[in-house]
Amino acid sequence: MSTTIKEAGTTTMDPLPSTYSTSTVAKAITQTVQFIISSTTSTPKPPSSSHSIASTASLTTMPTTAAATTAATTAELASAATTAATTTATAAIGTEKLSVSDLSTALQHFGIVDYIVFIAMLVVCAVIGFYFGFIEKKQKKEKGQVPTDEKDGDGAGAAGNEERRGSEALDYLVGGRKMKVFPVALSLVASFVSGISLLGTSTEIYVYGTQYAFILITLAISGLISWYIFLPVFCNLQLTSSYEYFERRFSRRMRLFGASLFVLKAIIWLPIAVYVPALTFNQVSGIGVHTITPIVIIICTFYTTVGGIKGVVWTDVVQSAIMYGSLIVIMVKGTMDLGGIDVVWQRNSDGGRLNTPEWTLDPTVRLSVFSVFVGGTFFKLQNTSINQATIQRFMSLPSLKEIKHTLFIFSIGLTLLYMGCVYVGLVCYATYYDCDPMSTGLAGRRDQLVPLLVMRVLGVVPGLPGLFVSAVFSAALSSLSTLLNSLAAVIMEDFVKPRMKNKPMTERTVALTMRLVVVVFGISSIFMVYVVEHLGMVLQLSATLQSSLYGPMLGIFTVGMLMPWVGEKSMFFSSIISFSIMAWIAVNAQIANVTGTFRHTKLPVSVEHCDYEFDVNRYLNSTAEYEPHSGTSIYHMSFLLYTMTGAALNIILSNLATFVFGRQDVNSVDIELLAPFLQRRFRKNKEYDAVPMKQRPFVEVEQSH
């Protein structure tokens, strides 16, 4: 059964293969190289007379076939393609208008300079991984700096816990706990802003307005909560896998439960992260999604496998610089083309895009004040406080002081990057305010809006489309490499090592196991891309998936650190129930989204001044009034409320379960597992209880009566 994605260029995908052999990957690489060569060396075919474009100097004719358009990437035709995208209806009088498919293929002028920029980014990432995987390790061996297991134990951490990991795992997963603040902060920014966020946030602003931008305020709130409650506990315990906390606070089965949910989330999320930039690459170059996907994943898997956390962090630094640079270029050039910030602001104001969250408590309202500020705080909290990838980055730093500095820089950097994405969304709407490309079919999917804008704004400057594609892939690669490295940590620490207590693993076995995990999960994500491409809007899908899994997880950590009277049985029971409920809600929500039985109201768009031919019925269908098939259900709630709902369910149910399973003696809980303010309270109470009654202050004795 073949699948067809209606993207720019109308790219038709091959049938889903039952196996994905080495020859398939080699064929994909060969096709890409051949495409680059043909698109940069072939001479353009004679123009067709069926579709012509009026320019100010002469009448330039564009080819009608996809093959001719693909080959025509000289500077003259690239300029003509850009002219075609911006020519007004008045200038086109007397000529036949382009169709959507012809204009779409005309915008695909990804030249040799763009390919060089994109390939250079991939090469730099691979070189960084190679350096930390081979050169640096060789230098350490020559200088005798490779630590032994005994040395690892000496650097265990503030709590005085003995480091239970071998030197290979310590270096590969947390960089020997000697990483620097600024690189780790940039790494966190790069890994948080995936390709999904980079494109999805701008698309969100275009479709629904600036309501989502107010979630940036919750970054500060969630950062403060992390600062005072969660991060000090993790730093004191010096954990590589955050789920080891579950075993110390509750039980072994709780640890396996948390780790299993993380692995499940990773399996589903990895292909989502790589699918979005593949769409972008297809939009600007015409190369198929399933051609570029295996190439990029293999390169990412390579530098993550050999470089470990150091390779991941330093490639993230390079990738974050590319992301910032790309956003700045798009914002400046896009604003200049429109005539200034005033024009951008006015068009968005007239189009209703400068809106605020709705003042309502209705949970089905997509972005209300409650869902944005309360639900958004929980949503960001699970990212900054309990996420395995985040904790692993923080644990690569020497002390809590460096962790807090990193959190501060990370919050500022993330806010600035998201603000850039929001502004790009405003520029996108100001550009297409009178000719919506989604309604006409020029953008086959919402996720192709920003790439379409890039080719219109930056397409005339060689190398800038390549810079943008590099930025999107940088965001995806950083998220992929981060998650793959975290998977290695979780599989090793939570599943493999506990089963090998009686027979300690050698350094070589540890190294091979961690790298095998990265390779297996990296390659498996190639196959999952076929599934993801049918699952609706990726930003909402990603947020829904992550929240439904991490909501109950946030509840476990919250109960563990703030409610010492809740025991293991109560916690395990409530976790199973809350996860099941959230999974049911998430699955039904996605089914409703895909089948169209429930849709959120989108802001109005216009096709009044489109200067190319398109299917009017498509526009009428996209603007038709929505008639719900059934009444409002719980799975119609805002996607920002998923984390809060899951956490609240787990907290409430675990406390109710104590009436069945009994309350745990708070004195039996290790105070190092509690939040800092509770630690101080318990220590003070223990010191007070240790003082004989006669020696206690008079006021306190009087109060006791």
Side-chain angles (χ1 to χ4, degrees), residues 590-634:
Q590 197 57 40
I591 291 174
N593 184 44
V594 172
T595 59
T597 56
F598 179 79
R599 289 196 303 248
H600 292 284
T601 303
K602 294 179 286 189
L603 294 177
V605 293
S606 171
V607 293
E608 186 177 355
H609 293 99
C610 292
D611 57 357
Y612 53 87
E613 295 180 352
F614 61 91
D615 185 1
V616 178
N617 291 328
R618 180 187 175 102
Y619 168 69
L620 295 176
N621 290 335
S622 67
T623 56
E625 291 293 328
Y626 168 65
E627 294 292 339
H629 291 258
S630 58
T632 300
S633 301
I634 189 173

Side-chain angles (χ1 to χ4, degrees), residues 91-105:
I93 293 176
T95 65
E96 186 177 352
K97 291 183 179 181
L98 284 176
S99 66
V100 170
S101 60
D102 291 332
L103 180 57
S104 179
T105 52

Side-chain angles (χ1 to χ4, degrees), residues 204-210 342-355 425-426 428-434 601-606:
E204 173 78 19
I205 302 303
Y206 181 98
V207 176
Y208 296 105
T210 55
D342 292 342
V343 176
V344 176
W345 190 266
Q346 187 60 47
R347 289 182 180 178
N348 278 276
S349 178
D350 295 341
R353 262 58 185 179
L354 303 180
N355 51 5
L426 296 177
C428 193
Y429 178 77
T431 302
Y432 295 111
Y433 76 104
D434 58 353
T601 303
K602 294 179 286 189
L603 294 177
V605 293
S606 171

Side-chain angles (χ1 to χ4, degrees), residues 107-110 279-286 451 455 465 468-469:
L107 286 169
Q108 295 175 354
H109 43 86
F110 206 66
L279 274 181
T280 302
F281 198 78
N282 173 267
Q283 176 78 23
V284 301
S285 70
M455 296 311 296
F468 171 75
V469 172

Side-chain angles (χ1 to χ4, degrees), residues 564 664-671 682 685-686 689:
Q664 180 173 258
D665 181 9
V666 295
N667 292 319
S668 65
V669 178
D670 183 357
I671 61 174
F682 273 84
N685 288 342
K686 288 183 178 181
D689 292 339

